[in-house]
Amino acid sequence: MAEDSASTEHFTDEEYAFLRFARYGELPAPVLPSEMVEEVKTDQPHIVLEQAFDARQWGEAGRFL
């Protein structure tokens, strides 16, 4: 499979910068270190609950022993 070199476009850095701006717009201003805050995790740790169905108590057929 040969590539057609006539259909391949080559852009300069300035053209790539313009295409990025046209597609994504302007980047937001960077966050200053004085504006940063520390994140505190408040989620509870994952707790494994006991299973509601205990095969030893109910047996293989699902009947209470």
Side-chain angles (χ1 to χ4, degrees):
M1 183 182 341
E3 291 186 33
D4 186 10
S5 61
S7 65
T8 305
E9 296 185 48
H10 298 284
F11 296 107
T12 65
D13 290 341
E14 291 81 18
E15 290 172 328
Y16 275 124
F18 173 75
L19 292 173
R20 279 192 300 272
F21 176 78
R23 182 170 185 177
Y24 301 111
E26 189 174 351
L27 292 175
V31 177
L32 299 175
S34 62
E35 297 174 342
M36 294 183 186
V37 295
E38 185 175 340
E39 180 181 26
V40 178
K41 298 283 183 178
T42 58
D43 292 341
Q44 296 292 324
H46 180 68
I47 300 171
V48 178
L49 301 175
E50 292 183 30
Q51 292 185 359
F53 178 77
D54 187 0
R56 294 173 297 174
Q57 180 180 9
W58 290 90
E60 290 183 23
R63 294 181 298 229
F64 188 70
L65 298 177

